[in-house]
Amino acid sequence: MIVLVFSASDKGGTGRSVTSCNMAYWLSMTGLKVAYLDFDFGSPTAGGTFEISRIDTGIGDGIGLHSYLLGDSGFPARVSVRSETDRVELSQSRHPSGRLVLFPGDHSGSEFTTLDEPMVRRCTALFATCEQEFDVTFVDLSAGRSIALALALSATRSAQLAETVSRWLIFHRWTRQHIVAGHSLVYDEHGVLGTGVEWGHDREQLRNSIRYVRTAVPELNDAMGLRPAQAAWLQRQHDTLNRAAIRNEMGSTVVLGRTPVEPMLQCREQVILDIDVSARIANPETVDAFRHLATRLMNRAVWERLE
């Protein structure tokens, strides 16, 4: 099964990119060939998350995704994460069959303001190439209702990608504001569904290709260090947020999974390895969450049609 995975969020700071990078890493560790396309054109920082310092804010020389989509280069640069990363443990952590390849954005790129047919054709060709070469392709989109979002929706309606499985992940933090924003990104007039219909998608098929990822969710079963009043208040808020999620059509039946609050990621967005857990720097629950998300992403049953 070949899969295109689009990572989207209405707000910045949702953990969209770092969670997607970690999911891509863990899928490569199962032996899959994984591509990661940095479509966050205004802030291409996937290189930094994979700890490749030479492209930590995008690649130079006009060979990134931004230049390719504009027609300024014949094909975008690709970087083997394990060959190029500065982190020894990441370079040595590999599956014999797995691959992880980053397509970085341009260092001097910016958000697109217009979308034209040549750009759609180049994007379609890129997705088709990735489909032929990789098992899973992550496309990390700019936050909000961006040209990157419209570009992805337009390209996936092409006949060239008619048989491709596309899945949409909507990332949001576990707060009322982010729940409302996540609903808005999907259901507002110019959201995922509205824009998708404009480009020829079937609304219900597209809706059934969407799942939500809740990030930075506090663990309520671990009240260590909390006063009783704080623990009780958090439980009430959690219950309120669950009701809000249901009202906003983001209840448990459409949730792919969640990630806990992780102190390590508060200071540095990176791939978390087993060695980080062994060193007691990262929490095991966080790695378990990334693995769980990656497993469910590839589980057909999770994506069965919703009634």
Side-chain angles (χ1 to χ4, degrees), residues 151-209:
L151 181 59
L153 287 165
S154 60
T156 50
R157 276 303 298 155
S158 67
Q160 197 171 358
L161 297 173
E163 302 302 319
T164 303
V165 176
S166 295
R167 292 175 174 169
W168 287 79
L169 303 183
I170 309 299
F171 291 79
H172 66 92
R173 291 177 65 86
W174 194 226
T175 71
R176 181 179 64 81
Q177 293 87 345
H178 279 262
I179 290 171
V180 172
H183 173 88
S184 175
L185 177 63
V186 173
Y187 289 99
D188 276 6
E189 180 181 359
H190 299 294
V192 174
L193 295 181
T195 303
V197 170
E198 287 180 6
W199 284 101
H201 285 270
D202 178 84
R203 183 181 178 89
E204 284 306 300
Q205 288 182 354
L206 183 56
R207 185 178 70 86
N208 281 283
S209 72

Tab-separated table of all heavy atoms in Angstrom, residues 151-209:
chain	number	residue	atom	x	y	z
A	151	LEU	N	-2.509	23.487	-3.093
A	151	LEU	CA	-1.647	22.776	-4.034
A	151	LEU	C	-1.758	21.266	-3.832
A	151	LEU	O	-1.874	20.499	-4.804
A	151	LEU	CB	-0.208	23.246	-3.853
A	151	LEU	CG	0.861	22.639	-4.754
A	151	LEU	CD1	0.547	22.898	-6.219
A	151	LEU	CD2	2.236	23.207	-4.388
A	152	ALA	N	-1.735	20.831	-2.585
A	152	ALA	CA	-1.851	19.404	-2.292
A	152	ALA	C	-3.200	18.858	-2.746
A	152	ALA	O	-3.291	17.770	-3.329
A	152	ALA	CB	-1.648	19.165	-0.798
A	153	LEU	N	-4.263	19.621	-2.483
A	153	LEU	CA	-5.600	19.168	-2.861
A	153	LEU	C	-5.772	19.140	-4.378
A	153	LEU	O	-6.421	18.231	-4.918
A	153	LEU	CB	-6.651	20.080	-2.227
A	153	LEU	CG	-6.836	19.897	-0.711
A	153	LEU	CD1	-7.596	21.069	-0.115
A	153	LEU	CD2	-7.554	18.581	-0.415
A	154	SER	N	-5.200	20.102	-5.069
A	154	SER	CA	-5.318	20.120	-6.527
A	154	SER	C	-4.529	18.979	-7.164
A	154	SER	O	-5.017	18.297	-8.073
A	154	SER	CB	-4.862	21.472	-7.083
A	154	SER	OG	-3.506	21.735	-6.739
A	155	ALA	N	-3.307	18.741	-6.684
A	155	ALA	CA	-2.462	17.699	-7.263
A	155	ALA	C	-3.056	16.310	-7.063
A	155	ALA	O	-2.989	15.456	-7.966
A	155	ALA	CB	-1.060	17.769	-6.662
A	156	THR	N	-3.658	16.058	-5.910
A	156	THR	CA	-4.180	14.722	-5.624
A	156	THR	C	-5.456	14.415	-6.387
A	156	THR	O	-5.959	13.292	-6.324
A	156	THR	CB	-4.424	14.545	-4.112
A	156	THR	OG1	-5.187	15.653	-3.601
A	156	THR	CG2	-3.108	14.463	-3.365
A	157	ARG	N	-6.001	15.382	-7.110
A	157	ARG	CA	-7.162	15.112	-7.952
A	157	ARG	C	-6.766	14.751	-9.374
A	157	ARG	O	-7.622	14.475	-10.215
A	157	ARG	CB	-8.093	16.340	-7.988
A	157	ARG	CG	-9.046	16.414	-6.829
A	157	ARG	CD	-9.903	15.175	-6.743
A	157	ARG	NE	-10.744	14.981	-7.921
A	157	ARG	CZ	-11.216	13.817	-8.321
A	157	ARG	NH1	-10.890	12.718	-7.675
A	157	ARG	NH2	-11.997	13.730	-9.389
A	158	SER	N	-5.507	14.722	-9.679
A	158	SER	CA	-5.076	14.424	-11.035
A	158	SER	C	-5.253	12.940	-11.345
A	158	SER	O	-5.211	12.079	-10.456
A	158	SER	CB	-3.603	14.808	-11.215
A	158	SER	OG	-2.795	13.964	-10.419
A	159	ALA	N	-5.439	12.636	-12.622
A	159	ALA	CA	-5.585	11.247	-13.047
A	159	ALA	C	-4.328	10.438	-12.730
A	159	ALA	O	-4.394	9.236	-12.463
A	159	ALA	CB	-5.876	11.204	-14.548
A	160	GLN	N	-3.191	11.102	-12.720
A	160	GLN	CA	-1.916	10.437	-12.451
A	160	GLN	C	-1.857	9.853	-11.049
A	160	GLN	O	-1.147	8.882	-10.787
A	160	GLN	CB	-0.780	11.444	-12.646
A	160	GLN	CG	0.590	10.833	-12.810
A	160	GLN	CD	1.621	11.872	-13.203
A	160	GLN	OE1	1.310	13.046	-13.384
A	160	GLN	NE2	2.866	11.450	-13.347
A	161	LEU	N	-2.627	10.440	-10.124
A	161	LEU	CA	-2.620	9.977	-8.727
A	161	LEU	C	-3.960	9.366	-8.328
A	161	LEU	O	-4.272	9.252	-7.135
A	161	LEU	CB	-2.299	11.159	-7.800
A	161	LEU	CG	-0.918	11.803	-7.988
A	161	LEU	CD1	-0.791	13.053	-7.129
A	161	LEU	CD2	0.203	10.826	-7.661
A	162	ALA	N	-4.735	8.941	-9.321
A	162	ALA	CA	-6.094	8.460	-9.052
A	162	ALA	C	-6.122	7.244	-8.125
A	162	ALA	O	-7.064	7.069	-7.344
A	162	ALA	CB	-6.797	8.137	-10.366
A	163	GLU	N	-5.113	6.398	-8.194
A	163	GLU	CA	-5.090	5.173	-7.384
A	163	GLU	C	-4.296	5.338	-6.087
A	163	GLU	O	-4.177	4.386	-5.317
A	163	GLU	CB	-4.496	4.023	-8.195
A	163	GLU	CG	-5.229	3.728	-9.494
A	163	GLU	CD	-6.698	3.394	-9.261
A	163	GLU	OE1	-6.982	2.665	-8.292
A	163	GLU	OE2	-7.543	3.878	-10.028
A	164	THR	N	-3.784	6.520	-5.848
A	164	THR	CA	-2.959	6.750	-4.663
A	164	THR	C	-3.830	6.930	-3.420
A	164	THR	O	-4.852	7.610	-3.464
A	164	THR	CB	-2.083	7.996	-4.847
A	164	THR	OG1	-1.287	7.833	-6.009
A	164	THR	CG2	-1.186	8.224	-3.643
A	165	VAL	N	-3.424	6.320	-2.321
A	165	VAL	CA	-4.116	6.496	-1.045
A	165	VAL	C	-3.599	7.770	-0.384
A	165	VAL	O	-2.404	7.890	-0.109
A	165	VAL	CB	-3.887	5.287	-0.114
A	165	VAL	CG1	-4.524	5.536	1.247
A	165	VAL	CG2	-4.431	4.014	-0.751
A	166	SER	N	-4.494	8.726	-0.155
A	166	SER	CA	-4.124	9.972	0.518
A	166	SER	C	-4.773	10.023	1.889
A	166	SER	O	-5.959	9.706	2.033
A	166	SER	CB	-4.582	11.188	-0.307
A	166	SER	OG	-3.893	11.253	-1.533
A	167	ARG	N	-3.995	10.443	2.876
A	167	ARG	CA	-4.508	10.545	4.237
A	167	ARG	C	-4.130	11.908	4.794
A	167	ARG	O	-3.016	12.386	4.586
A	167	ARG	CB	-3.950	9.408	5.103
A	167	ARG	CG	-4.522	8.073	4.661
A	167	ARG	CD	-3.946	6.887	5.366
A	167	ARG	NE	-4.672	5.689	4.943
A	167	ARG	CZ	-4.302	4.459	5.208
A	167	ARG	NH1	-3.198	4.234	5.901
A	167	ARG	NH2	-5.017	3.438	4.797
A	168	TRP	N	-5.070	12.502	5.502
A	168	TRP	CA	-4.901	13.845	6.044
A	168	TRP	C	-4.882	13.792	7.566
A	168	TRP	O	-5.807	13.252	8.181
A	168	TRP	CB	-6.039	14.749	5.566
A	168	TRP	CG	-5.911	15.121	4.126
A	168	TRP	CD1	-6.236	14.356	3.046
A	168	TRP	CD2	-5.368	16.339	3.611
A	168	TRP	NE1	-5.933	15.015	1.891
A	168	TRP	CE2	-5.412	16.233	2.200
A	168	TRP	CE3	-4.880	17.501	4.197
A	168	TRP	CZ2	-4.962	17.264	1.372
A	168	TRP	CZ3	-4.434	18.516	3.374
A	168	TRP	CH2	-4.476	18.399	1.973
A	169	LEU	N	-3.825	14.345	8.146
A	169	LEU	CA	-3.704	14.431	9.603
A	169	LEU	C	-3.819	15.893	10.011
A	169	LEU	O	-3.042	16.731	9.539
A	169	LEU	CB	-2.367	13.864	10.071
A	169	LEU	CG	-2.066	12.414	9.676
A	169	LEU	CD1	-0.730	11.983	10.272
A	169	LEU	CD2	-3.181	11.481	10.122
A	170	ILE	N	-4.762	16.194	10.876
A	170	ILE	CA	-4.963	17.545	11.392
A	170	ILE	C	-4.462	17.581	12.827
A	170	ILE	O	-5.007	16.898	13.708
A	170	ILE	CB	-6.458	17.954	11.345
A	170	ILE	CG1	-7.038	17.707	9.947
A	170	ILE	CG2	-6.612	19.405	11.765
A	170	ILE	CD1	-6.374	18.483	8.839
A	171	PHE	N	-3.417	18.357	13.068
A	171	PHE	CA	-2.781	18.422	14.379
A	171	PHE	C	-3.339	19.587	15.178
A	171	PHE	O	-3.536	20.691	14.645
A	171	PHE	CB	-1.265	18.593	14.225
A	171	PHE	CG	-0.580	17.386	13.660
A	171	PHE	CD1	-0.611	17.119	12.295
A	171	PHE	CD2	0.100	16.502	14.489
A	171	PHE	CE1	0.017	16.001	11.767
A	171	PHE	CE2	0.737	15.377	13.963
A	171	PHE	CZ	0.688	15.129	12.604
A	172	HIS	N	-3.590	19.344	16.458
A	172	HIS	CA	-4.034	20.443	17.336
A	172	HIS	C	-3.616	20.142	18.765
A	172	HIS	O	-3.570	18.985	19.196
A	172	HIS	CB	-5.552	20.640	17.262
A	172	HIS	CG	-6.349	19.477	17.812
A	172	HIS	ND1	-6.752	19.414	19.131
A	172	HIS	CD2	-6.809	18.353	17.218
A	172	HIS	CE1	-7.437	18.292	19.326
A	172	HIS	NE2	-7.474	17.635	18.188
A	173	ARG	N	-3.280	21.186	19.465
A	173	ARG	CA	-2.984	21.041	20.889
A	173	ARG	C	-4.282	20.809	21.649
A	173	ARG	O	-5.386	21.080	21.151
A	173	ARG	CB	-2.248	22.270	21.419
A	173	ARG	CG	-0.827	22.384	20.866
A	173	ARG	CD	-0.150	23.654	21.347
A	173	ARG	NE	0.055	23.643	22.778
A	173	ARG	CZ	1.104	23.109	23.388
A	173	ARG	NH1	2.057	22.546	22.692
A	173	ARG	NH2	1.230	23.152	24.695
A	174	TRP	N	-4.166	20.316	22.863
A	174	TRP	CA	-5.335	19.944	23.648
A	174	TRP	C	-5.827	21.153	24.446
A	174	TRP	O	-5.762	21.205	25.673
A	174	TRP	CB	-4.993	18.763	24.550
A	174	TRP	CG	-6.153	18.048	25.186
A	174	TRP	CD1	-6.249	17.671	26.494
A	174	TRP	CD2	-7.364	17.595	24.561
A	174	TRP	NE1	-7.427	17.018	26.731
A	174	TRP	CE2	-8.139	16.957	25.552
A	174	TRP	CE3	-7.881	17.677	23.271
A	174	TRP	CZ2	-9.394	16.396	25.292
A	174	TRP	CZ3	-9.132	17.120	23.011
A	174	TRP	CH2	-9.863	16.493	24.004
A	175	THR	N	-6.309	22.165	23.689
A	175	THR	CA	-6.902	23.361	24.295
A	175	THR	C	-8.172	23.703	23.529
A	175	THR	O	-8.353	23.285	22.377
A	175	THR	CB	-5.958	24.581	24.224
A	175	THR	OG1	-5.874	25.040	22.861
A	175	THR	CG2	-4.564	24.251	24.735
A	176	ARG	N	-9.046	24.482	24.144
A	176	ARG	CA	-10.304	24.856	23.496
A	176	ARG	C	-10.043	25.623	22.211
A	176	ARG	O	-10.678	25.365	21.180
A	176	ARG	CB	-11.152	25.701	24.455
A	176	ARG	CG	-12.503	26.113	23.873
A	176	ARG	CD	-13.294	26.927	24.871
A	176	ARG	NE	-12.640	28.194	25.176
A	176	ARG	CZ	-12.732	29.285	24.397
A	176	ARG	NH1	-13.434	29.247	23.281
A	176	ARG	NH2	-12.120	30.402	24.742
A	177	GLN	N	-9.099	26.575	22.262
A	177	GLN	CA	-8.816	27.382	21.078
A	177	GLN	C	-8.322	26.525	19.914
A	177	GLN	O	-8.701	26.738	18.761
A	177	GLN	CB	-7.790	28.459	21.415
A	177	GLN	CG	-8.286	29.531	22.375
A	177	GLN	CD	-8.087	29.147	23.836
A	177	GLN	OE1	-7.838	27.970	24.153
A	177	GLN	NE2	-8.179	30.126	24.720
A	178	HIS	N	-7.475	25.544	20.211
A	178	HIS	CA	-6.938	24.702	19.143
A	178	HIS	C	-7.983	23.728	18.606
A	178	HIS	O	-7.964	23.387	17.412
A	178	HIS	CB	-5.708	23.948	19.649
A	178	HIS	CG	-4.455	24.768	19.636
A	178	HIS	ND1	-3.535	24.686	18.626
A	178	HIS	CD2	-3.975	25.696	20.500
A	178	HIS	CE1	-2.531	25.517	18.861
A	178	HIS	NE2	-2.784	26.146	19.999
A	179	ILE	N	-8.881	23.267	19.452
A	179	ILE	CA	-9.965	22.405	18.971
A	179	ILE	C	-10.850	23.172	18.002
A	179	ILE	O	-11.182	22.682	16.907
A	179	ILE	CB	-10.792	21.870	20.161
A	179	ILE	CG1	-9.963	20.852	20.951
A	179	ILE	CG2	-12.098	21.231	19.676
A	179	ILE	CD1	-10.600	20.417	22.253
A	180	VAL	N	-11.226	24.372	18.367
A	180	VAL	CA	-12.049	25.207	17.483
A	180	VAL	C	-11.305	25.494	16.181
A	180	VAL	O	-11.885	25.445	15.085
A	180	VAL	CB	-12.431	26.523	18.196
A	180	VAL	CG1	-13.116	27.488	17.231
A	180	VAL	CG2	-13.343	26.233	19.387
A	181	ALA	N	-10.003	25.786	16.280
A	181	ALA	CA	-9.209	26.079	15.083
A	181	ALA	C	-9.105	24.849	14.180
A	181	ALA	O	-9.159	24.965	12.946
A	181	ALA	CB	-7.820	26.562	15.491
A	182	GLY	N	-8.944	23.672	14.771
A	182	GLY	CA	-8.869	22.451	13.977
A	182	GLY	C	-10.160	22.191	13.216
A	182	GLY	O	-10.142	21.813	12.038
A	183	HIS	N	-11.295	22.396	13.890
A	183	HIS	CA	-12.597	22.254	13.220
A	183	HIS	C	-12.712	23.251	12.074
A	183	HIS	O	-13.172	22.912	10.977
A	183	HIS	CB	-13.722	22.474	14.225
A	183	HIS	CG	-15.083	22.519	13.602
A	183	HIS	ND1	-15.846	21.394	13.402
A	183	HIS	CD2	-15.813	23.562	13.109
A	183	HIS	CE1	-16.975	21.731	12.817
A	183	HIS	NE2	-16.986	23.035	12.635
A	184	SER	N	-12.298	24.478	12.323
A	184	SER	CA	-12.378	25.530	11.307
A	184	SER	C	-11.545	25.182	10.088
A	184	SER	O	-11.976	25.391	8.940
A	184	SER	CB	-11.919	26.854	11.916
A	184	SER	OG	-11.880	27.873	10.942
A	185	LEU	N	-10.341	24.641	10.301
A	185	LEU	CA	-9.475	24.304	9.186
A	185	LEU	C	-10.125	23.273	8.270
A	185	LEU	O	-9.962	23.315	7.053
A	185	LEU	CB	-8.138	23.758	9.701
A	185	LEU	CG	-7.148	23.288	8.628
A	185	LEU	CD1	-6.729	24.452	7.731
A	185	LEU	CD2	-5.931	22.633	9.264
A	186	VAL	N	-10.876	22.370	8.832
A	186	VAL	CA	-11.509	21.323	8.028
A	186	VAL	C	-12.835	21.784	7.439
A	186	VAL	O	-13.094	21.601	6.245
A	186	VAL	CB	-11.718	20.052	8.873
A	186	VAL	CG1	-12.534	19.006	8.103
A	186	VAL	CG2	-10.373	19.470	9.290
A	187	TYR	N	-13.690	22.423	8.259
A	187	TYR	CA	-15.084	22.608	7.873
A	187	TYR	C	-15.446	24.017	7.401
A	187	TYR	O	-16.514	24.199	6.815
A	187	TYR	CB	-15.998	22.224	9.046
A	187	TYR	CG	-16.014	20.739	9.304
A	187	TYR	CD1	-15.232	20.177	10.322
A	187	TYR	CD2	-16.793	19.893	8.529
A	187	TYR	CE1	-15.246	18.813	10.551
A	187	TYR	CE2	-16.808	18.525	8.755
A	187	TYR	CZ	-16.036	17.989	9.769
A	187	TYR	OH	-16.046	16.638	9.981
A	188	ASP	N	-14.622	25.016	7.621
A	188	ASP	CA	-14.974	26.357	7.145
A	188	ASP	C	-14.992	26.408	5.619
A	188	ASP	O	-14.465	25.523	4.946
A	188	ASP	CB	-13.994	27.396	7.695
A	188	ASP	CG	-14.385	27.858	9.096
A	188	ASP	OD1	-15.329	27.282	9.663
A	188	ASP	OD2	-13.731	28.773	9.626
A	189	GLU	N	-15.556	27.476	5.097
A	189	GLU	CA	-15.762	27.596	3.647
A	189	GLU	C	-14.489	27.351	2.849
A	189	GLU	O	-14.501	26.693	1.807
A	189	GLU	CB	-16.323	28.982	3.320
A	189	GLU	CG	-16.562	29.204	1.837
A	189	GLU	CD	-17.088	30.604	1.540
A	189	GLU	OE1	-17.277	31.392	2.500
A	189	GLU	OE2	-17.301	30.890	0.351
A	190	HIS	N	-13.377	27.903	3.310
A	190	HIS	CA	-12.119	27.749	2.592
A	190	HIS	C	-11.187	26.763	3.286
A	190	HIS	O	-9.966	26.833	3.131
A	190	HIS	CB	-11.441	29.112	2.438
A	190	HIS	CG	-12.262	30.100	1.662
A	190	HIS	ND1	-12.554	29.939	0.325
A	190	HIS	CD2	-12.894	31.250	2.056
A	190	HIS	CE1	-13.301	30.946	-0.088
A	190	HIS	NE2	-13.524	31.751	0.935
A	191	GLY	N	-11.773	25.836	4.047
A	191	GLY	CA	-10.991	24.821	4.720
A	191	GLY	C	-10.684	23.644	3.807
A	191	GLY	O	-10.848	23.703	2.588
A	192	VAL	N	-10.248	22.553	4.408
A	192	VAL	CA	-9.836	21.382	3.632
A	192	VAL	C	-10.978	20.866	2.763
A	192	VAL	O	-10.806	20.620	1.559
A	192	VAL	CB	-9.336	20.266	4.573
A	192	VAL	CG1	-9.043	18.991	3.780
A	192	VAL	CG2	-8.092	20.717	5.331
A	193	LEU	N	-12.160	20.699	3.350
A	193	LEU	CA	-13.267	20.130	2.590
A	193	LEU	C	-13.758	21.079	1.503
A	193	LEU	O	-13.968	20.667	0.349
A	193	LEU	CB	-14.414	19.763	3.530
A	193	LEU	CG	-14.110	18.656	4.544
A	193	LEU	CD1	-15.331	18.375	5.402
A	193	LEU	CD2	-13.643	17.386	3.857
A	194	GLY	N	-13.939	22.350	1.845
A	194	GLY	CA	-14.413	23.314	0.859
A	194	GLY	C	-13.446	23.477	-0.298
A	194	GLY	O	-13.844	23.476	-1.474
A	195	THR	N	-12.164	23.599	0.029
A	195	THR	CA	-11.151	23.742	-1.022
A	195	THR	C	-11.043	22.464	-1.834
A	195	THR	O	-10.892	22.500	-3.068
A	195	THR	CB	-9.787	24.088	-0.405
A	195	THR	OG1	-9.905	25.277	0.380
A	195	THR	CG2	-8.735	24.299	-1.478
A	196	GLY	N	-11.143	21.326	-1.155
A	196	GLY	CA	-11.077	20.050	-1.874
A	196	GLY	C	-12.210	19.899	-2.874
A	196	GLY	O	-11.986	19.452	-4.008
A	197	VAL	N	-13.411	20.262	-2.487
A	197	VAL	CA	-14.560	20.182	-3.402
A	197	VAL	C	-14.343	21.100	-4.601
A	197	VAL	O	-14.656	20.746	-5.747
A	197	VAL	CB	-15.863	20.525	-2.656
A	197	VAL	CG1	-17.023	20.699	-3.633
A	197	VAL	CG2	-16.190	19.438	-1.641
A	198	GLU	N	-13.792	22.297	-4.360
A	198	GLU	CA	-13.512	23.217	-5.459
A	198	GLU	C	-12.568	22.596	-6.483
A	198	GLU	O	-12.675	22.870	-7.689
A	198	GLU	CB	-12.894	24.512	-4.917
A	198	GLU	CG	-13.866	25.416	-4.180
A	198	GLU	CD	-13.191	26.673	-3.683
A	198	GLU	OE1	-12.004	26.893	-4.010
A	198	GLU	OE2	-13.845	27.448	-2.965
A	199	TRP	N	-11.646	21.747	-6.025
A	199	TRP	CA	-10.687	21.122	-6.927
A	199	TRP	C	-11.162	19.769	-7.448
A	199	TRP	O	-10.409	19.067	-8.127
A	199	TRP	CB	-9.337	20.975	-6.235
A	199	TRP	CG	-8.585	22.279	-6.152
A	199	TRP	CD1	-8.471	23.094	-5.069
A	199	TRP	CD2	-7.862	22.915	-7.207
A	199	TRP	NE1	-7.728	24.202	-5.372
A	199	TRP	CE2	-7.337	24.125	-6.678
A	199	TRP	CE3	-7.606	22.589	-8.538
A	199	TRP	CZ2	-6.568	24.988	-7.457
A	199	TRP	CZ3	-6.846	23.455	-9.305
A	199	TRP	CH2	-6.339	24.634	-8.758
A	200	GLY	N	-12.391	19.388	-7.096
A	200	GLY	CA	-12.955	18.173	-7.673
A	200	GLY	C	-13.009	16.970	-6.773
A	200	GLY	O	-13.399	15.878	-7.218
A	201	HIS	N	-12.640	17.099	-5.510
A	201	HIS	CA	-12.739	15.978	-4.581
A	201	HIS	C	-14.191	15.718	-4.202
A	201	HIS	O	-15.007	16.645	-4.131
A	201	HIS	CB	-11.935	16.268	-3.305
A	201	HIS	CG	-10.455	16.165	-3.461
A	201	HIS	ND1	-9.763	15.001	-3.258
A	201	HIS	CD2	-9.524	17.092	-3.813
A	201	HIS	CE1	-8.477	15.209	-3.457
A	201	HIS	NE2	-8.303	16.467	-3.803
A	202	ASP	N	-14.504	14.474	-3.922
A	202	ASP	CA	-15.787	14.120	-3.324
A	202	ASP	C	-15.729	14.458	-1.837
A	202	ASP	O	-14.822	14.001	-1.133
A	202	ASP	CB	-16.074	12.633	-3.515
A	202	ASP	CG	-17.377	12.210	-2.862
A	202	ASP	OD1	-18.428	12.363	-3.483
A	202	ASP	OD2	-17.303	11.738	-1.697
A	203	ARG	N	-16.680	15.233	-1.353
A	203	ARG	CA	-16.624	15.738	0.017
A	203	ARG	C	-16.574	14.607	1.048
A	203	ARG	O	-15.769	14.645	1.980
A	203	ARG	CB	-17.824	16.651	0.295
A	203	ARG	CG	-17.807	17.279	1.691
A	203	ARG	CD	-19.021	18.154	1.935
A	203	ARG	NE	-19.029	18.723	3.268
A	203	ARG	CZ	-18.470	19.868	3.606
A	203	ARG	NH1	-17.874	20.601	2.666
A	203	ARG	NH2	-18.497	20.314	4.840
A	204	GLU	N	-17.411	13.592	0.886
A	204	GLU	CA	-17.462	12.530	1.887
A	204	GLU	C	-16.208	11.661	1.841
A	204	GLU	O	-15.708	11.241	2.879
A	204	GLU	CB	-18.716	11.686	1.695
A	204	GLU	CG	-19.981	12.376	2.184
A	204	GLU	CD	-19.848	12.845	3.627
A	204	GLU	OE1	-19.619	11.992	4.512
A	204	GLU	OE2	-19.949	14.068	3.877
A	205	GLN	N	-15.720	11.389	0.653
A	205	GLN	CA	-14.473	10.614	0.564
A	205	GLN	C	-13.317	11.363	1.203
A	205	GLN	O	-12.494	10.771	1.910
A	205	GLN	CB	-14.158	10.305	-0.901
A	205	GLN	CG	-15.070	9.277	-1.527
A	205	GLN	CD	-14.689	8.965	-2.953
A	205	GLN	OE1	-13.797	9.597	-3.528
A	205	GLN	NE2	-15.365	8.000	-3.550
A	206	LEU	N	-13.263	12.669	0.968
A	206	LEU	CA	-12.203	13.468	1.572
A	206	LEU	C	-12.354	13.523	3.081
A	206	LEU	O	-11.376	13.384	3.821
A	206	LEU	CB	-12.213	14.875	0.970
A	206	LEU	CG	-11.115	15.840	1.428
A	206	LEU	CD1	-9.728	15.259	1.180
A	206	LEU	CD2	-11.261	17.189	0.721
A	207	ARG	N	-13.573	13.696	3.536
A	207	ARG	CA	-13.813	13.745	4.992
A	207	ARG	C	-13.369	12.449	5.659
A	207	ARG	O	-12.820	12.463	6.768
A	207	ARG	CB	-15.288	13.994	5.276
A	207	ARG	CG	-15.613	14.173	6.762
A	207	ARG	CD	-17.087	14.472	6.980
A	207	ARG	NE	-17.904	13.311	6.703
A	207	ARG	CZ	-18.177	12.352	7.587
A	207	ARG	NH1	-17.677	12.411	8.813
A	207	ARG	NH2	-18.938	11.335	7.267
A	208	ASN	N	-13.590	11.333	4.997
A	208	ASN	CA	-13.213	10.051	5.573
A	208	ASN	C	-11.722	9.770	5.480
A	208	ASN	O	-11.251	8.761	6.008
A	208	ASN	CB	-14.026	8.928	4.923
A	208	ASN	CG	-15.430	8.840	5.489
A	208	ASN	OD1	-15.626	8.331	6.591
A	208	ASN	ND2	-16.387	9.349	4.747
A	209	SER	N	-10.983	10.636	4.810
A	209	SER	CA	-9.524	10.488	4.756
A	209	SER	C	-8.837	11.349	5.807
A	209	SER	O	-7.610	11.429	5.822
A	209	SER	CB	-9.010	10.867	3.361
A	209	SER	OG	-9.096	12.271	3.146
